[in-house]
PDB file of all heavy atoms in Angstrom:
ATOM      1  N   ASN B 294     110.457 132.885  80.988  1.00  0.00           N
ATOM      2  CA  ASN B 294     109.353 132.664  81.940  1.00  0.00           C
ATOM      3  C   ASN B 294     108.483 133.886  82.191  1.00  0.00           C
ATOM      4  O   ASN B 294     107.670 133.915  83.103  1.00  0.00           O
ATOM      5  CB  ASN B 294     109.915 132.124  83.272  1.00  0.00           C
ATOM      6  CG  ASN B 294     109.033 131.008  83.815  1.00  0.00           C
ATOM      7  OD1 ASN B 294     107.945 130.753  83.281  1.00  0.00           O
ATOM      8  ND2 ASN B 294     109.469 130.359  84.879  1.00  0.00           N
ATOM      9  N   GLN B 295     108.643 134.935  81.373  1.00  0.00           N
ATOM     10  CA  GLN B 295     107.789 136.122  81.446  1.00  0.00           C
ATOM     11  C   GLN B 295     106.904 136.196  80.206  1.00  0.00           C
ATOM     12  O   GLN B 295     107.350 135.874  79.117  1.00  0.00           O
ATOM     13  CB  GLN B 295     108.639 137.411  81.489  1.00  0.00           C
ATOM     14  CG  GLN B 295     109.603 137.489  82.648  1.00  0.00           C
ATOM     15  CD  GLN B 295     108.898 137.550  83.988  1.00  0.00           C
ATOM     16  OE1 GLN B 295     107.902 138.228  84.122  1.00  0.00           O
ATOM     17  NE2 GLN B 295     109.413 136.826  84.972  1.00  0.00           N
ATOM     18  N   LEU B 296     105.664 136.680  80.387  1.00  0.00           N
ATOM     19  CA  LEU B 296     104.797 136.931  79.250  1.00  0.00           C
ATOM     20  C   LEU B 296     105.377 138.064  78.417  1.00  0.00           C
ATOM     21  O   LEU B 296     105.759 139.096  78.959  1.00  0.00           O
ATOM     22  CB  LEU B 296     103.396 137.336  79.717  1.00  0.00           C
ATOM     23  CG  LEU B 296     102.393 136.244  80.076  1.00  0.00           C
ATOM     24  CD1 LEU B 296     101.023 136.864  80.290  1.00  0.00           C
ATOM     25  CD2 LEU B 296     102.316 135.170  79.003  1.00  0.00           C
ATOM     26  N   VAL B 297     105.441 137.886  77.118  1.00  0.00           N
ATOM     27  CA  VAL B 297     105.958 138.918  76.215  1.00  0.00           C
ATOM     28  C   VAL B 297     105.031 139.027  75.008  1.00  0.00           C
ATOM     29  O   VAL B 297     104.589 137.998  74.484  1.00  0.00           O
ATOM     30  CB  VAL B 297     107.385 138.534  75.746  1.00  0.00           C
ATOM     31  CG1 VAL B 297     107.878 139.530  74.686  1.00  0.00           C
ATOM     32  CG2 VAL B 297     108.358 138.484  76.921  1.00  0.00           C
ATOM     33  N   TYR B 298     104.723 140.254  74.601  1.00  0.00           N
ATOM     34  CA  TYR B 298     103.897 140.454  73.407  1.00  0.00           C
ATOM     35  C   TYR B 298     104.791 140.948  72.270  1.00  0.00           C
ATOM     36  O   TYR B 298     105.411 141.983  72.372  1.00  0.00           O
ATOM     37  CB  TYR B 298     102.792 141.482  73.692  1.00  0.00           C
ATOM     38  CG  TYR B 298     101.833 141.036  74.767  1.00  0.00           C
ATOM     39  CD1 TYR B 298     102.110 141.255  76.129  1.00  0.00           C
ATOM     40  CD2 TYR B 298     100.643 140.379  74.457  1.00  0.00           C
ATOM     41  CE1 TYR B 298     101.235 140.844  77.122  1.00  0.00           C
ATOM     42  CE2 TYR B 298      99.751 139.956  75.450  1.00  0.00           C
ATOM     43  CZ  TYR B 298     100.056 140.198  76.783  1.00  0.00           C
ATOM     44  OH  TYR B 298      99.190 139.786  77.761  1.00  0.00           O
ATOM     45  N   THR B 299     104.855 140.165  71.202  1.00  0.00           N
ATOM     46  CA  THR B 299     105.701 140.536  70.064  1.00  0.00           C
ATOM     47  C   THR B 299     104.804 140.920  68.873  1.00  0.00           C
ATOM     48  O   THR B 299     103.874 140.174  68.552  1.00  0.00           O
ATOM     49  CB  THR B 299     106.573 139.324  69.652  1.00  0.00           C
ATOM     50  OG1 THR B 299     107.339 138.910  70.768  1.00  0.00           O
ATOM     51  CG2 THR B 299     107.487 139.661  68.489  1.00  0.00           C
ATOM     52  N   PRO B 300     105.046 142.086  68.241  1.00  0.00           N
ATOM     53  CA  PRO B 300     104.259 142.454  67.064  1.00  0.00           C
ATOM     54  C   PRO B 300     104.272 141.319  66.028  1.00  0.00           C
ATOM     55  O   PRO B 300     105.336 140.739  65.761  1.00  0.00           O
ATOM     56  CB  PRO B 300     104.957 143.700  66.528  1.00  0.00           C
ATOM     57  CG  PRO B 300     105.635 144.283  67.743  1.00  0.00           C
ATOM     58  CD  PRO B 300     106.030 143.114  68.594  1.00  0.00           C
ATOM     59  N   LEU B 301     103.120 141.044  65.445  1.00  0.00           N
ATOM     60  CA  LEU B 301     103.020 139.924  64.497  1.00  0.00           C
ATOM     61  C   LEU B 301     104.017 140.074  63.353  1.00  0.00           C
ATOM     62  O   LEU B 301     104.616 139.106  62.909  1.00  0.00           O
ATOM     63  CB  LEU B 301     101.591 139.813  63.941  1.00  0.00           C
ATOM     64  CG  LEU B 301     100.572 139.152  64.862  1.00  0.00           C
ATOM     65  CD1 LEU B 301      99.200 139.148  64.217  1.00  0.00           C
ATOM     66  CD2 LEU B 301     100.995 137.721  65.174  1.00  0.00           C
ATOM     67  N   HIS B 302     104.192 141.314  62.860  1.00  0.00           N
ATOM     68  CA  HIS B 302     105.083 141.465  61.701  1.00  0.00           C
ATOM     69  C   HIS B 302     106.548 141.170  62.076  1.00  0.00           C
ATOM     70  O   HIS B 302     107.366 140.867  61.215  1.00  0.00           O
ATOM     71  CB  HIS B 302     104.938 142.841  61.051  1.00  0.00           C
ATOM     72  CG  HIS B 302     105.301 143.982  61.959  1.00  0.00           C
ATOM     73  ND1 HIS B 302     106.574 144.461  62.082  1.00  0.00           N
ATOM     74  CD2 HIS B 302     104.539 144.699  62.811  1.00  0.00           C
ATOM     75  CE1 HIS B 302     106.593 145.445  62.973  1.00  0.00           C
ATOM     76  NE2 HIS B 302     105.373 145.610  63.433  1.00  0.00           N
ATOM     77  N   GLU B 303     106.866 141.229  63.371  1.00  0.00           N
ATOM     78  CA  GLU B 303     108.212 140.825  63.791  1.00  0.00           C
ATOM     79  C   GLU B 303     108.327 139.305  63.981  1.00  0.00           C
ATOM     80  O   GLU B 303     109.393 138.744  63.824  1.00  0.00           O
ATOM     81  CB  GLU B 303     108.578 141.500  65.128  1.00  0.00           C
ATOM     82  CG  GLU B 303     108.921 142.981  65.003  1.00  0.00           C
ATOM     83  CD  GLU B 303     109.277 143.596  66.351  1.00  0.00           C
ATOM     84  OE1 GLU B 303     109.719 142.855  67.242  1.00  0.00           O
ATOM     85  OE2 GLU B 303     109.086 144.818  66.493  1.00  0.00           O
ATOM     86  N   ALA B 304     107.191 138.700  64.354  1.00  0.00           N
ATOM     87  CA  ALA B 304     107.251 137.273  64.664  1.00  0.00           C
ATOM     88  C   ALA B 304     107.144 136.408  63.409  1.00  0.00           C
ATOM     89  O   ALA B 304     107.821 135.387  63.286  1.00  0.00           O
ATOM     90  CB  ALA B 304     106.140 136.908  65.641  1.00  0.00           C
ATOM     91  N   VAL B 305     106.297 136.814  62.483  1.00  0.00           N
ATOM     92  CA  VAL B 305     105.989 135.943  61.341  1.00  0.00           C
ATOM     93  C   VAL B 305     107.225 135.688  60.471  1.00  0.00           C
ATOM     94  O   VAL B 305     107.948 136.601  60.095  1.00  0.00           O
ATOM     95  CB  VAL B 305     104.858 136.595  60.497  1.00  0.00           C
ATOM     96  CG1 VAL B 305     104.759 135.905  59.137  1.00  0.00           C
ATOM     97  CG2 VAL B 305     103.543 136.460  61.245  1.00  0.00           C
ATOM     98  N   GLY B 306     107.426 134.454  60.160  1.00  0.00           N
ATOM     99  CA  GLY B 306     108.431 134.050  59.186  1.00  0.00           C
ATOM    100  C   GLY B 306     109.887 134.202  59.646  1.00  0.00           C
ATOM    101  O   GLY B 306     110.810 134.015  58.870  1.00  0.00           O
ATOM    102  N   ARG B 307     110.078 134.517  60.908  1.00  0.00           N
ATOM    103  CA  ARG B 307     111.433 134.722  61.390  1.00  0.00           C
ATOM    104  C   ARG B 307     111.934 133.459  62.045  1.00  0.00           C
ATOM    105  O   ARG B 307     111.286 132.887  62.913  1.00  0.00           O
ATOM    106  CB  ARG B 307     111.369 135.866  62.420  1.00  0.00           C
ATOM    107  CG  ARG B 307     112.720 136.430  62.733  1.00  0.00           C
ATOM    108  CD  ARG B 307     112.557 137.875  63.163  1.00  0.00           C
ATOM    109  NE  ARG B 307     113.621 138.306  64.043  1.00  0.00           N
ATOM    110  CZ  ARG B 307     113.545 139.385  64.827  1.00  0.00           C
ATOM    111  NH1 ARG B 307     112.442 140.111  64.832  1.00  0.00           N
ATOM    112  NH2 ARG B 307     114.571 139.718  65.581  1.00  0.00           N
ATOM    113  N   PRO B 308     113.101 132.999  61.632  1.00  0.00           N
ATOM    114  CA  PRO B 308     113.591 131.733  62.179  1.00  0.00           C
ATOM    115  C   PRO B 308     114.059 131.853  63.628  1.00  0.00           C
ATOM    116  O   PRO B 308     114.504 132.906  64.078  1.00  0.00           O
ATOM    117  CB  PRO B 308     114.782 131.373  61.268  1.00  0.00           C
ATOM    118  CG  PRO B 308     115.239 132.681  60.751  1.00  0.00           C
ATOM    119  CD  PRO B 308     114.053 133.601  60.667  1.00  0.00           C
ATOM    120  N   LYS B 309     113.897 130.793  64.384  1.00  0.00           N
ATOM    121  CA  LYS B 309     114.366 130.749  65.771  1.00  0.00           C
ATOM    122  C   LYS B 309     115.490 129.726  65.813  1.00  0.00           C
ATOM    123  O   LYS B 309     115.258 128.538  65.670  1.00  0.00           O
ATOM    124  CB  LYS B 309     113.211 130.318  66.700  1.00  0.00           C
ATOM    125  CG  LYS B 309     113.598 130.275  68.160  1.00  0.00           C
ATOM    126  CD  LYS B 309     112.379 130.257  69.068  1.00  0.00           C
ATOM    127  CE  LYS B 309     111.621 128.963  68.982  1.00  0.00           C
ATOM    128  NZ  LYS B 309     110.532 128.864  69.973  1.00  0.00           N
ATOM    129  N   PRO B 310     116.724 130.176  65.976  1.00  0.00           N
ATOM    130  CA  PRO B 310     117.857 129.252  65.874  1.00  0.00           C
ATOM    131  C   PRO B 310     117.923 128.289  67.070  1.00  0.00           C
ATOM    132  O   PRO B 310     117.431 128.573  68.151  1.00  0.00           O
ATOM    133  CB  PRO B 310     119.079 130.171  65.878  1.00  0.00           C
ATOM    134  CG  PRO B 310     118.623 131.413  66.549  1.00  0.00           C
ATOM    135  CD  PRO B 310     117.140 131.545  66.298  1.00  0.00           C
ATOM    136  N   ILE B 311     118.508 127.133  66.836  1.00  0.00           N
ATOM    137  CA  ILE B 311     118.733 126.157  67.906  1.00  0.00           C
ATOM    138  C   ILE B 311     120.054 126.486  68.589  1.00  0.00           C
ATOM    139  O   ILE B 311     121.035 126.818  67.943  1.00  0.00           O
ATOM    140  CB  ILE B 311     118.787 124.738  67.314  1.00  0.00           C
ATOM    141  CG1 ILE B 311     117.399 124.342  66.856  1.00  0.00           C
ATOM    142  CG2 ILE B 311     119.337 123.738  68.313  1.00  0.00           C
ATOM    143  CD1 ILE B 311     117.297 122.936  66.353  1.00  0.00           C
ATOM    144  N   ARG B 312     120.058 126.434  69.925  1.00  0.00           N
ATOM    145  CA  ARG B 312     121.290 126.745  70.644  1.00  0.00           C
ATOM    146  C   ARG B 312     122.389 125.723  70.347  1.00  0.00           C
ATOM    147  O   ARG B 312     122.152 124.518  70.404  1.00  0.00           O
ATOM    148  CB  ARG B 312     121.014 126.788  72.150  1.00  0.00           C
ATOM    149  CG  ARG B 312     120.396 128.133  72.580  1.00  0.00           C
ATOM    150  CD  ARG B 312     120.009 128.096  74.042  1.00  0.00           C
ATOM    151  NE  ARG B 312     118.945 127.121  74.240  1.00  0.00           N
ATOM    152  CZ  ARG B 312     118.931 126.224  75.200  1.00  0.00           C
ATOM    153  NH1 ARG B 312     119.935 126.146  76.071  1.00  0.00           N
ATOM    154  NH2 ARG B 312     117.933 125.375  75.318  1.00  0.00           N
ATOM    155  N   ASN B 313     123.560 126.212  70.061  1.00  0.00           N
ATOM    156  CA  ASN B 313     124.690 125.319  69.771  1.00  0.00           C
ATOM    157  C   ASN B 313     124.994 124.392  70.927  1.00  0.00           C
ATOM    158  O   ASN B 313     125.406 123.253  70.745  1.00  0.00           O
ATOM    159  CB  ASN B 313     125.955 126.128  69.461  1.00  0.00           C
ATOM    160  CG  ASN B 313     125.903 126.647  68.045  1.00  0.00           C
ATOM    161  OD1 ASN B 313     125.320 126.014  67.171  1.00  0.00           O
ATOM    162  ND2 ASN B 313     126.516 127.803  67.823  1.00  0.00           N
TER     163      ASN B 313
END
Side-chain angles (χ1 to χ4, degrees):
Chain B
N294 222 351
Q295 300 295 319
L296 276 189
V297 174
Y298 297 86
T299 303
L301 281 178
H302 62 87
E303 286 180 25
V305 166
R307 195 153 153 197
K309 182 163 70 173
I311 290 184
R312 279 174 295 134
N313 281 330

